[in-house]
Amino acid sequence: MPDIKYLYDTIGDRAYRLGIPFTEIPNYISENLRYPFFAWQKKAFENFLTFHAIEEKEPSNEPTHLMFNMATGTGKTLLMAAAILYYWQQGYRHFLFFVNQNNIIDKTENNFINTTHSKYLFAETIMIDNQTVKIEKVNTFSSNSEALEMKFTTIQKLYNDIHIEKENQLYLDDLLNRELVMLADEGHHLNADTQRGAGELALAAKLTNRSGEGEIERKGWEHTVIELLLNKNGSQERNRNVLLEFTATIPNNQKVIEKYAPKTIYSFGLSEFLSAGYTKEINLLSSTLNKRERILQALLFSWYRHKIALKRAIPNFKPVILFRSKEIKDSEADFEEFLNMIKDLTEKDFEFLEVIEYKCKEGDSIYQQGRSRIRDLIKFIQEQDIQISEIVSFMKDNFNRRNCIITNSKTNRTLNEKTNEEQERLLNSLEDSSNHIRAIFTVKRLNEGWDVLNLFDIVRLYTGRDERKNRRGDRLAGKATISEVQLIGRGVRYYPFSYNGKERNRRKFDNHLQEEMRVLEELYYHCDSDHRYISELKRELKKRGYIDDRKIEKCFPLKRSFTSSAFYKDMRLWKNEQITNPERRKKTLDSLKRDFENFEFPLEDLEIREEEVDLEREHNDRERLSIHQENKRRIPAEIKEFERHIFYKAVHIKTQDNRSLLRFKLLKKELQIESIDDFRENTIGDFKIVFITAKRSLDEVTNREKLNALIKFFDTLLTELKQAIKTHKGTELQPKYKLPELFGEEIKKRVERNDDSQRIEEILKDKTWYVVEQFYGTCEEREFIEFIQKYIGNLQEKYEEVYLLRNEAQYEIYDFDTGRGFQPDFLLFLRGQGRDSKLYYQIFIEPKGQHLLKHDKWKNDFLNKIKEEYSENNILTIQGKNYTLIALPLFNHQESQDFTKAFKELIQHEA
């Protein structure tokens, strides 16, 4: 994607060029808003004011069209209110607010119109230029009113009012003759036409809530809003219309990004919001508890927060739980099931806690408060001597029918969720002391446009996932997971409370892990223990379309001091190639059988996992609790013991890929089998899968568990089989390339921000021996740099020239036996002194984390083969220069003895 300049990138330089002073927010804005700006809101509005100051200096005939790209919960609506005040003061009187959902309209009307509502955003009396400003909700705009007139509508109704309803031309003419300020919320829904490319518009069809998203966006947005209203249907007269868009997410689409870059006046992503500390922390709590127990566990968390708030005198702390179902009919059933469960709740329902309590007691000697909320909760019950009967009474009182709400009214018989006016009022005022709602049952109704601060638990009441892959094979989250991430985005908003003079709206205990009040600053997402779903959910949370990925683009050019040297220009790189193995041979699985004597498949028995999601770093999630069933046993089962239909289903699943070696034609070619039955009975029939479980016999293992075990078995078998068949091999190393041929182009990569890498980059910046301008590496690669710095002086005394080059995937060699590709992370080049001045060393170095040493053992074996074949005793001569190739063992700072020994031999080497 080419470099794109956003409006917020250029506005400062333009203002400076025009001599525009720093813009301050006028008093008529700050004094007429109910709440002060946060720092990011202040910066956004200053940009907005600067833009208009520039427009005054360089006026245009074009309407104003701006985008505020700000994360959910950052206070976009307060910015709307400020903009409304600004434009009224500039002479505008007609304001049109539209979205794509009715419930967002209801919520926003309270923000702008309802002076008695807790979320009303203006001062009790609005005074601008000594004039009282009245805000009136209207259906049609008047011509002479001095009031601030606001019309609230949906994109569907706006389109229908203009194109379908009677006298629509009069209505359109009325809008075209006015100077309008239009405010669009959740604007990321409104760009399908840009993404797809505009086509013919059939304008007669009425838009409804069931209209397709693309149809709504093409007709309602691109045609009605942009073409007709903002641009006044192509009028050539001076156009003072205004369109302000507010969205959490601009689609990751090249056309959309290019379209909105010159309009984006401010950007403040969720990662920045999280880092600023104005959100709850996100925690995932997955378990093998059944649905009923998972619900009870969430209720326990709600009770626990209530008790902590009482203990610390936090007033009106009323945590809310949201229960999410897959379909409307499921939600209705879950709602009634929940109410019946609460009605009949007894102490016996909490017996599942005994197992968890036992596990917590089992680790009591190493127990640390703050490590796990589940542990804290159980310890709190024990230390406060609380009886389960007290908890049951609390739940019966607080979660009865009156205190629960479902986002689908009894009178609604459509397939869409539909709430009535009273339900909307309750859902949009959950924090109020008079609001009695404690639990919400929903499907998708509240994913967007819902302002809630006291949502602390989200419970997924269903299982399964809908992950898919694109044409390149990349994993993509399904629609259900994306909507779940959106829902988490609603719940992450911080619930403000006062404590010891700390800021009300900001997390207070990030650096106090043992503080029990941390639970009042955390959002918990409860789900089943489907590990692939958890992985999908976490990946989607961390994708920075919805959440900024905190990645930056880094360039890795070679230093000029190196590229101008004779060494760089003349040094030969030794490399090999991957070729088809001419000695490839058919073979049976006999040689592999011993590797499957102990093929283990753990079954999920009782399991609870609690982890805090770190949205800053890819692999830095903090596990708070992990409970697994003890007293497990090993149950071996030969492949031929598995039911034939289960075996065939596993084969069918694995052969969906046309390239799968498990397809009969390919399998027959490699293993000389007669049929899949022959493969099952005779070839792998006595291979064993060992179930690790608390179950007592194979009969208790379910068909689903057997199927999953076979799929895992086939995954491992096919990987090993491919290696055994050896379809490729690596050639001998040859001096085929000069350095500029492989390391001549500047490499660009998107990498995560990393303070440790940045620190090392600063250290290496002026070091001539490190030949790349910038540095980015894993923890183990950073440890290697620390290691080599201790010995660089010894190397420079021993050798005439010393250069360390970081390989950014430009150089690859191939294992001699299997042809597997290997890109060593570093190449160390040395040139001898004196009589050895024509002796060059090429040294392969690969740092490897502890968790990968076993997995990548083949790389260490390959390095050993290079060492044996091309040792210092085997001097290679090419074009008057002598070369020695040295492969050092894998570097790991915890197990560095072999590497250190080999490296010191290099320093002490006498040619």
Side-chain angles (χ1 to χ4, degrees), residues 602-643:
L603 294 184
E604 289 184 352
D605 297 302
L606 172 69
E607 179 180 326
I608 298 177
R609 189 177 183 195
E610 182 185 351
E611 55 184 328
E612 177 185 328
V613 180
D614 188 331
L615 295 167
E616 305 295 328
R617 293 184 173 87
E618 185 72 23
H619 303 292
N620 205 39
D621 299 332
R622 186 162 66 93
E623 185 174 85
R624 289 179 160 182
L625 181 68
S626 182
I627 291 178
H628 302 279
Q629 183 70 49
E630 301 296 336
N631 302 320
K632 294 189 177 184
R633 54 176 58 84
R634 298 168 62 85
I635 301 178
E638 293 185 347
I639 298 300
K640 58 191 175 189
E641 293 183 66
F642 286 76
E643 290 85 342

Side-chain angles (χ1 to χ4, degrees), residues 125-181:
T125 301
I126 303 175
M127 292 288 296
I128 298 179
D129 298 336
N130 297 318
Q131 182 179 353
T132 301
V133 180
K134 293 180 62 178
I135 301 179
E136 295 179 353
K137 174 185 173 183
V138 300
N139 288 321
T140 57
F141 295 121
S142 62
S143 298
N144 301 313
S145 174
E146 274 300 303
L148 192 159
E149 296 185 339
M150 292 199 71
K151 177 178 174 63
F152 298 88
T153 187
T154 63
I155 197 79
Q156 299 96 323
K157 189 172 188 309
L158 183 64
Y159 170 84
N160 293 337
D161 285 345
I162 290 174
H163 294 288
I164 305 299
E165 305 301 333
K166 293 179 181 179
E167 301 179 349
N168 51 36
Q169 188 59 48
L170 291 175
Y171 179 70
L172 177 59
D173 288 344
D174 179 65
L175 293 177
L176 292 178
N177 287 327
R178 301 188 185 281
E179 293 180 342
L180 296 176
V181 176

Side-chain angles (χ1 to χ4, degrees), residues 326-338:
K326 191 173 185 179
E327 305 285 349
I328 290 178
K329 63 180 187 299
D330 300 329
S331 185
E332 292 170 346
D334 289 333
F335 181 61
E336 293 300 327
E337 183 181 335
F338 175 84

Side-chain angles (χ1 to χ4, degrees), residues 159-160 164-165 203-208 211 215 219:
Y159 170 84
N160 293 337
I164 305 299
E165 305 301 333
L203 296 177
K206 187 173 184 177
L207 291 182
T208 69
S211 297
E215 184 183 14
K219 295 180 179 180

Side-chain angles (χ1 to χ4, degrees), residues 57 191 269 337 341 362 555 559 638 843:
K57 290 266 190 175
N191 295 283
E337 183 181 335
M341 181 190 75
E362 194 176 57
C555 301
K559 291 178 180 176
E638 293 185 347
I843 302 163

Side-chain angles (χ1 to χ4, degrees), residues 765-779:
K765 184 167 56 177
D766 299 323
K767 308 297 184 186
T768 57
W769 56 267
Y770 184 75
V771 300
V772 185
E773 287 283 3
Q774 299 195 45
F775 174 84
Y776 182 85
T778 65
C779 175

